[in-house]
Amino acid sequence: MTWNLCSRALCALLLPAALLMPLGNAAQAQVFNPTTFELDNGMQVVVIENRRAPVVTHMVWYKVGAADEPAGKSGIAHYLEHLMFKGTEKRAPGEFSEIIANLGGRENAFTSHDYTGYFQTIAPRHLELMMELEADRMTGLVLTDEIIEPERKVILEERRSRTENNPRALLSEQVAAATYLNHPYRLPVIGWAHEIEGLTRTDLEAFYETWYAPNNAILVVSGDVDPDEVFRLAQKYYGVIPAKELLPRVRPVEPPQLAPREVVMRDARVDQPAWSRRYLAPSYVAGENEYAYPLEVLAEIIGGSSTGRIYRSIVVDQSLAASAGAWYSPGDLDQTTFGLWFSPRPGVSIDSVRDALDDQIATLL
């Protein structure tokens, strides 16, 4: 079946004039008031009290992700995330996870283009142990070829099962590669298979030594906790770790995009075609970020739910599409994307639905 994507710079004319106006103090609105402080070594700490249940979530977010990887070595950030669950100088491989499971807690980790995070959810009385364990692997990770090679196979299998066996995921990779000409957001977070196969222990150790440091991390503790106690424990376990001299997060700049690109992918495993269009757009912190909040409003108005204008027009009123919507991802560190999508009804061509979509967008101008 066929998917299409057209990627080009987001035209300000998509925004109604009223939405182009700055939102004043809206950005200062607060959903909650966390307690924040910084340790002497530069580690940031955020405490969010929530006494509704006797549970606490302990998280460490590192300011490094797939977009910070050396050229030609995609997948290092995600590979290292896996390896962080192996042993340290103090803990045997698997012991970290075994301790948490025996205490009735749960744990996981995640890697994005911009950050890598680790978390545990557990009873508050075990918070101190979580800090001890996490602080230990911030500096004491042990990597050997015997540890690295089996995990490489795990990651390659993860890529096969989640990406290569999934037409939508394969398309997403191709679309990202076409959306960005120069920026590393064009690369998959999990990495290209041939580059994962080429990563060495030296590569992984260098990435770990470069980026895993208290002054490159944010500790977030939420739940049934007292901020003063969190501060005391953070000082005890994280505060004693020396800061590192960090490299600047220098990323390639995306050049002006002068021509639209189209990606068409066909796969016999897909029964229902889908179409999407992406525009480069500012994020909260990159580009003309005064438009970030208006773009959020726009995405919700035209495609945020079944009441969105796109859905009402081409799904409900005209019965051309089975589903439709819009999205916007303003949380990226660099330029992000604004997108429109639909899946046509059986027997309806993509071109006819796209024309109806463009007509609906034109009514906003």
Side-chain angles (χ1 to χ4, degrees), residues 27-92:
Q28 299 175 10
Q30 295 179 341
V31 177
F32 55 86
N33 293 300
T35 301
T36 62
F37 47 87
E38 184 174 305
L39 304 182
D40 291 341
N41 58 11
M43 187 174 191
Q44 298 170 270
V45 183
V46 179
V47 184
I48 305 167
E49 292 184 76
N50 187 335
R51 305 285 187 166
R52 291 179 294 179
V55 66
V56 62
T57 296
H58 168 269
M59 311 181 77
V60 173
W61 297 62
Y62 290 94
K63 302 174 190 178
V64 64
D68 302 295
E69 296 165 341
K73 298 183 182 297
S74 64
I76 287 184
H78 174 256
Y79 199 158
L80 184 58
E81 177 215 307
H82 277 237
L83 295 172
M84 284 286 283
F85 290 87
K86 305 304 179 182
T88 68
E89 296 171 0
K90 297 180 180 179
R91 304 285 181 179

Coordinates of all heavy atoms in Angstrom, one line a residue, residues 27-92:
A27 N 2.7 31.1 29.6 CA 3.8 30.2 29.8 C 4.2 30.1 31.2 O 4.8 29.1 31.7 CB 5.0 30.6 29.0
Q28 N 3.7 31.0 32.0 CA 4.1 31.0 33.5 C 3.1 30.3 34.3 O 3.2 30.1 35.5 CB 4.2 32.4 33.9 CG 5.3 33.2 33.2 CD 5.3 34.7 33.7 OE1 4.6 35.1 34.6 NE2 6.1 35.5 32.9
A29 N 2.0 29.8 33.7 CA 1.0 29.1 34.4 C 1.6 27.8 35.0 O 2.4 27.1 34.3 CB -0.2 28.7 33.5
Q30 N 1.2 27.4 36.2 CA 1.8 26.3 36.9 C 0.8 25.3 37.3 O -0.2 25.6 37.8 CB 2.5 26.8 38.2 CG 3.7 27.7 37.9 CD 4.4 28.2 39.2 OE1 3.8 28.1 40.2 NE2 5.6 28.7 39.0
V31 N 1.1 24.0 36.9 CA 0.2 22.9 37.3 C 0.6 22.4 38.7 O -0.3 22.1 39.5 CB 0.4 21.8 36.3 CG1 -0.5 20.6 36.7 CG2 0.0 22.2 34.9
F32 N 1.8 22.5 39.0 CA 2.3 22.1 40.4 C 3.5 23.0 40.7 O 4.1 23.6 39.8 CB 2.6 20.6 40.5 CG 3.6 20.2 39.5 CD1 5.0 20.3 39.7 CD2 3.2 19.6 38.2 CE1 5.9 19.9 38.8 CE2 4.1 19.2 37.3 CZ 5.5 19.3 37.6
N33 N 3.9 23.0 41.9 CA 5.0 23.8 42.3 C 6.1 22.9 42.9 O 6.1 22.6 44.2 CB 4.6 24.8 43.4 CG 3.7 25.9 42.8 OD1 4.1 26.6 41.8 ND2 2.5 26.0 43.3
P34 N 7.0 22.3 42.1 CA 8.0 21.4 42.7 C 9.0 22.2 43.5 O 9.2 23.4 43.3 CB 8.6 20.9 41.4 CG 8.4 21.9 40.4 CD 7.1 22.5 40.7
T35 N 9.7 21.5 44.3 CA 10.8 22.0 45.1 C 12.1 21.7 44.3 O 12.3 20.5 43.9 CB 10.9 21.4 46.5 OG1 9.7 21.6 47.2 CG2 12.1 21.9 47.2
T36 N 12.9 22.6 44.0 CA 14.1 22.4 43.2 C 15.3 23.0 43.9 O 15.3 24.0 44.6 CB 14.0 23.1 41.8 OG1 13.9 24.5 42.0 CG2 12.8 22.6 41.1
F37 N 16.4 22.3 43.7 CA 17.7 22.8 44.2 C 18.8 22.1 43.4 O 18.6 21.3 42.6 CB 17.9 22.5 45.7 CG 17.5 21.1 46.1 CD1 18.4 20.1 46.1 CD2 16.2 20.8 46.6 CE1 18.1 18.8 46.5 CE2 15.9 19.5 47.0 CZ 16.8 18.5 46.9
E38 N 20.0 22.6 43.6 CA 21.2 22.1 42.9 C 22.3 21.7 43.9 O 22.6 22.5 44.8 CB 21.7 23.2 41.9 CG 22.8 22.7 41.0 CD 23.2 23.7 39.9 OE1 22.3 24.1 39.2 OE2 24.4 24.1 39.9
L39 N 22.9 20.6 43.7 CA 24.0 20.1 44.5 C 25.3 20.9 44.1 O 25.3 21.5 43.0 CB 24.2 18.6 44.3 CG 23.0 17.7 44.6 CD1 23.4 16.2 44.5 CD2 22.4 18.0 46.0
D40 N 26.2 20.8 45.0 CA 27.5 21.5 44.7 C 28.2 21.1 43.5 O 28.9 21.8 42.8 CB 28.4 21.4 45.9 CG 27.9 22.2 47.2 OD1 27.1 23.0 47.0 OD2 28.4 21.8 48.3
N41 N 28.0 19.8 43.1 CA 28.6 19.3 41.9 C 27.8 19.6 40.6 O 28.2 19.1 39.5 CB 28.9 17.8 42.0 CG 27.6 17.0 42.2 OD1 26.5 17.5 42.1 ND2 27.7 15.7 42.6
G42 N 26.8 20.3 40.7 CA 26.0 20.7 39.6 C 24.8 19.9 39.2 O 24.1 20.2 38.3
M43 N 24.5 18.8 40.0 CA 23.4 18.0 39.7 C 22.1 18.7 40.1 O 22.0 19.2 41.2 CB 23.5 16.7 40.4 CG 22.4 15.7 40.0 SD 22.6 14.1 40.8 CE 21.4 13.1 39.9
Q44 N 21.1 18.8 39.2 CA 19.9 19.4 39.5 C 18.9 18.4 40.2 O 18.9 17.2 39.8 CB 19.2 20.0 38.2 CG 20.0 21.0 37.5 CD 19.5 21.4 36.2 OE1 19.9 20.8 35.2 NE2 18.6 22.3 36.1
V45 N 18.1 18.9 41.1 CA 17.2 18.0 41.8 C 15.8 18.6 41.8 O 15.7 19.8 42.1 CB 17.7 17.8 43.3 CG1 16.7 16.8 44.0 CG2 19.1 17.3 43.3
V46 N 14.8 17.8 41.5 CA 13.4 18.3 41.4 C 12.6 17.3 42.3 O 12.7 16.1 42.1 CB 12.9 18.3 40.0 CG1 11.4 18.7 40.0 CG2 13.7 19.2 39.1
V47 N 11.9 17.8 43.2 CA 11.0 17.0 44.1 C 9.6 17.4 43.9 O 9.2 18.6 44.1 CB 11.5 17.2 45.6 CG1 10.6 16.3 46.5 CG2 12.9 16.9 45.8
I48 N 8.7 16.5 43.7 CA 7.3 16.7 43.4 C 6.6 15.9 44.5 O 6.5 14.7 44.4 CB 6.9 16.3 42.0 CG1 7.7 17.0 41.0 CG2 5.4 16.6 41.8 CD1 7.6 16.4 39.6
E49 N 6.0 16.6 45.5 CA 5.3 15.9 46.5 C 3.9 15.5 46.1 O 3.2 16.3 45.5 CB 5.1 16.8 47.7 CG 6.4 17.1 48.5 CD 6.1 17.9 49.7 OE1 5.7 17.4 50.7 OE2 6.4 19.2 49.7
N50 N 3.5 14.2 46.3 CA 2.2 13.7 46.0 C 1.9 12.7 47.1 O 2.4 11.5 47.0 CB 2.2 13.1 44.6 CG 0.8 12.7 44.2 OD1 -0.1 12.4 45.0 ND2 0.5 12.7 42.9
R51 N 1.1 13.0 48.0 CA 0.9 12.2 49.2 C -0.4 11.3 49.0 O -0.8 10.6 50.0 CB 0.7 13.1 50.4 CG 1.8 14.0 50.7 CD 3.0 13.3 51.3 NE 4.0 14.3 51.7 CZ 5.1 14.0 52.5 NH1 5.2 12.7 52.9 NH2 6.0 14.9 52.8
R52 N -0.9 11.2 47.8 CA -2.1 10.4 47.7 C -1.9 8.9 47.8 O -2.9 8.2 48.0 CB -2.8 10.8 46.3 CG -3.3 12.2 46.3 CD -3.9 12.5 44.9 NE -2.9 12.5 43.9 CZ -3.2 12.7 42.6 NH1 -4.4 13.0 42.2 NH2 -2.2 12.7 41.7
A53 N -0.7 8.4 47.6 CA -0.4 7.0 47.7 C 0.9 6.8 48.3 O 1.8 7.6 48.0 CB -0.6 6.3 46.3
P54 N 1.2 5.7 49.0 CA 2.5 5.5 49.6 C 3.4 4.9 48.6 O 3.8 3.7 48.7 CB 2.1 4.5 50.8 CG 1.0 3.8 50.3 CD 0.2 4.7 49.5
V55 N 3.8 5.7 47.7 CA 4.7 5.2 46.6 C 5.6 6.4 46.2 O 5.2 7.5 46.3 CB 3.9 4.6 45.4 CG1 3.1 5.7 44.8 CG2 4.8 3.9 44.5
V56 N 6.8 6.1 45.7 CA 7.7 7.1 45.2 C 8.3 6.6 43.9 O 8.6 5.4 43.7 CB 8.8 7.4 46.2 CG1 9.6 6.2 46.5 CG2 9.7 8.6 45.8
T57 N 8.5 7.6 43.0 CA 9.3 7.3 41.7 C 10.5 8.1 41.8 O 10.5 9.3 42.0 CB 8.4 7.7 40.5 OG1 7.2 6.9 40.5 CG2 9.2 7.5 39.2
H58 N 11.6 7.4 41.5 CA 13.0 8.0 41.6 C 13.5 7.9 40.1 O 13.6 6.9 39.5 CB 13.8 7.2 42.5 CG 15.3 7.5 42.5 ND1 16.2 6.8 41.6 CD2 16.1 8.4 43.1 CE1 17.4 7.3 41.8 NE2 17.4 8.3 42.7
M59 N 13.9 9.1 39.6 CA 14.3 9.1 38.2 C 15.6 9.9 38.1 O 15.8 10.9 38.8 CB 13.3 9.8 37.3 CG 11.9 9.3 37.4 SD 10.7 10.2 36.3 CE 11.1 9.3 34.8
V60 N 16.5 9.5 37.2 CA 17.7 10.2 36.8 C 17.6 10.4 35.3 O 17.6 9.4 34.5 CB 19.0 9.5 37.2 CG1 20.2 10.3 36.7 CG2 19.1 9.5 38.8
W61 N 17.6 11.6 34.8 CA 17.6 12.0 33.4 C 19.0 12.5 33.1 O 19.4 13.5 33.7 CB 16.5 13.1 33.1 CG 15.1 12.7 33.4 CD1 14.6 12.3 34.6 CD2 14.1 12.6 32.4 NE1 13.2 12.0 34.4 CE2 12.9 12.2 33.1 CE3 14.0 12.9 31.1 CZ2 11.7 12.1 32.5 CZ3 12.8 12.8 30.4 CH2 11.6 12.4 31.1
Y62 N 19.6 11.9 32.1 CA 20.9 12.5 31.6 C 20.6 13.3 30.3 O 19.8 12.9 29.4 CB 21.8 11.3 31.2 CG 22.3 10.6 32.4 CD1 21.7 9.4 32.9 CD2 23.4 11.0 33.2 CE1 22.1 8.7 34.0 CE2 23.9 10.3 34.3 CZ 23.2 9.2 34.7 OH 23.6 8.5 35.8
K63 N 21.3 14.4 30.2 CA 21.2 15.4 29.1 C 22.0 14.9 27.9 O 22.9 15.6 27.5 CB 21.5 16.8 29.6 CG 20.7 17.3 30.7 CD 21.3 18.6 31.2 CE 20.7 19.1 32.5 NZ 21.3 20.4 33.0
V64 N 21.7 13.7 27.4 CA 22.3 13.2 26.3 C 21.4 12.1 25.6 O 20.7 11.4 26.3 CB 23.7 12.5 26.7 CG1 23.5 11.3 27.6 CG2 24.5 12.1 25.4
G65 N 21.4 12.1 24.3 CA 20.6 11.2 23.6 C 21.1 10.8 22.3 O 22.3 11.1 22.0
A66 N 20.3 10.2 21.4 CA 20.8 9.7 20.2 C 21.3 10.8 19.3 O 22.2 10.6 18.4 CB 19.7 9.0 19.5
A67 N 20.8 12.0 19.4 CA 21.3 13.1 18.6 C 22.7 13.6 19.0 O 23.2 14.5 18.3 CB 20.3 14.3 18.6
D68 N 23.2 13.1 20.1 CA 24.5 13.6 20.5 C 25.6 12.5 20.2 O 26.8 12.7 20.6 CB 24.5 13.8 22.0 CG 23.5 14.8 22.5 OD1 23.7 16.0 22.1 OD2 22.5 14.5 23.1
E69 N 25.2 11.5 19.4 CA 26.2 10.4 19.1 C 27.2 10.9 18.1 O 26.9 11.7 17.2 CB 25.4 9.2 18.6 CG 24.5 8.6 19.7 CD 23.5 7.6 19.1 OE1 23.2 7.6 17.9 OE2 23.0 6.8 19.9
P70 N 28.4 10.3 18.1 CA 29.4 10.6 17.0 C 28.8 10.1 15.7 O 28.1 9.1 15.6 CB 30.6 9.8 17.4 CG 30.4 9.5 18.9 CD 29.0 9.4 19.1
A71 N 29.2 10.8 14.6 CA 28.8 10.5 13.3 C 29.2 9.0 12.9 O 30.3 8.6 13.2 CB 29.3 11.5 12.3
G72 N 28.3 8.3 12.4 CA 28.6 6.9 12.0 C 28.5 5.9 13.1 O 28.8 4.7 12.9
K73 N 28.0 6.3 14.3 CA 27.9 5.4 15.4 C 26.6 5.5 16.0 O 26.4 5.6 17.2 CB 29.0 5.7 16.4 CG 30.5 5.6 15.9 CD 31.5 5.8 16.9 CE 32.9 5.6 16.3 NZ 33.2 4.3 15.8
S74 N 25.5 5.5 15.2 CA 24.2 5.5 15.7 C 23.9 4.3 16.6 O 24.4 3.2 16.4 CB 23.2 5.6 14.6 OG 23.2 4.4 13.8
G75 N 23.1 4.6 17.6 CA 22.7 3.5 18.5 C 23.4 3.5 19.8 O 23.1 2.7 20.7
I76 N 24.5 4.3 20.0 CA 25.3 4.2 21.2 C 24.5 4.5 22.5 O 24.5 3.8 23.5 CB 26.5 5.1 21.1 CG1 27.6 4.6 20.2 CG2 27.2 5.3 22.5 CD1 28.8 5.4 20.2
A77 N 23.7 5.6 22.4 CA 22.9 6.0 23.6 C 22.0 4.9 24.1 O 21.9 4.6 25.2 CB 22.2 7.3 23.3
H78 N 21.3 4.3 23.1 CA 20.3 3.2 23.5 C 21.1 2.0 23.9 O 20.7 1.3 24.9 CB 19.5 2.9 22.2 CG 18.6 1.8 22.4 ND1 18.8 0.5 21.9 CD2 17.4 1.6 23.1 CE1 17.8 -0.3 22.2 NE2 17.0 0.3 23.0
Y79 N 22.2 1.6 23.3 CA 23.0 0.5 23.6 C 23.5 0.6 25.1 O 23.4 -0.3 25.9 CB 24.2 0.4 22.6 CG 24.9 -0.9 22.6 CD1 25.6 -1.2 21.4 CD2 24.9 -1.9 23.6 CE1 26.3 -2.4 21.3 CE2 25.5 -3.1 23.4 CZ 26.3 -3.4 22.3 OH 26.9 -4.5 22.2
L80 N 24.0 1.8 25.4 CA 24.5 2.1 26.8 C 23.3 2.0 27.8 O 23.5 1.5 28.9 CB 25.2 3.4 26.8 CG 25.8 3.8 28.2 CD1 26.9 2.7 28.6 CD2 26.4 5.2 28.1
E81 N 22.1 2.5 27.4 CA 21.0 2.3 28.3 C 20.8 0.9 28.7 O 20.6 0.5 29.9 CB 19.7 2.9 27.6 CG 18.5 2.7 28.4 CD 17.3 2.4 27.6 OE1 17.0 3.2 26.6 OE2 16.6 1.4 27.8
H82 N 20.9 -0.1 27.7 CA 20.8 -1.5 28.0 C 21.9 -1.9 29.0 O 21.7 -2.7 30.0 CB 20.9 -2.3 26.7 CG 19.6 -2.4 26.0 ND1 19.0 -3.6 25.7 CD2 18.8 -1.5 25.5 CE1 17.9 -3.4 25.0 NE2 17.7 -2.1 24.9
L83 N 23.1 -1.5 28.7 CA 24.3 -1.9 29.5 C 24.3 -1.4 30.9 O 24.9 -2.0 31.8 CB 25.6 -1.5 28.8 CG 25.8 -2.2 27.4 CD1 27.0 -1.6 26.7 CD2 26.0 -3.7 27.6
M84 N 23.6 -0.3 31.1 CA 23.5 0.2 32.5 C 22.8 -0.7 33.5 O 22.9 -0.5 34.7 CB 22.8 1.6 32.5 CG 23.6 2.7 31.9 SD 24.9 3.3 33.0 CE 23.9 4.3 34.2
F85 N 22.1 -1.7 33.0 CA 21.5 -2.7 33.8 C 22.4 -3.9 34.1 O 22.0 -4.9 34.8 CB 20.2 -3.2 33.2 CG 19.1 -2.1 33.2 CD1 19.0 -1.2 32.2 CD2 18.2 -2.0 34.3 CE1 18.0 -0.2 32.2 CE2 17.2 -1.1 34.3 CZ 17.1 -0.1 33.3
K86 N 23.6 -3.8 33.6 CA 24.6 -4.8 33.9 C 25.3 -4.5 35.2 O 24.9 -3.6 35.9 CB 25.6 -5.0 32.7 CG 24.9 -5.3 31.4 CD 24.0 -6.5 31.5 CE 23.3 -6.7 30.2 NZ 22.3 -7.9 30.2
G87 N 26.4 -5.1 35.5 CA 27.1 -5.0 36.8 C 28.0 -3.7 36.9 O 28.3 -3.1 35.9
T88 N 28.3 -3.4 38.1 CA 29.2 -2.4 38.5 C 30.3 -3.0 39.3 O 30.4 -4.2 39.5 CB 28.5 -1.2 39.3 OG1 28.2 -1.8 40.6 CG2 27.3 -0.7 38.6
E89 N 31.2 -2.1 39.8 CA 32.3 -2.6 40.6 C 31.8 -3.2 41.9 O 32.4 -4.0 42.6 CB 33.3 -1.5 40.9 CG 34.0 -1.0 39.6 CD 34.8 0.3 39.8 OE1 34.8 0.7 41.0 OE2 35.4 0.8 38.9
K90 N 30.6 -2.7 42.3 CA 30.0 -3.2 43.6 C 28.9 -4.2 43.4 O 28.6 -5.0 44.4 CB 29.4 -2.0 44.4 CG 30.4 -0.9 44.8 CD 29.8 0.2 45.5 CE 30.8 1.3 45.9 NZ 30.1 2.4 46.6
R91 N 28.2 -4.2 42.3 CA 27.0 -5.1 42.1 C 27.3 -6.0 40.9 O 27.8 -5.6 39.9 CB 25.8 -4.2 41.8 CG 25.5 -3.2 42.9 CD 24.9 -3.9 44.1 NE 24.6 -2.9 45.2 CZ 24.0 -3.2 46.3 NH1 23.8 -4.4 46.6 NH2 23.8 -2.2 47.2
A92 N 26.9 -7.2 41.0 CA 27.0 -8.2 40.0 C 26.0 -8.0 38.9 O 24.9 -7.3 39.1 CB 26.8 -9.6 40.5

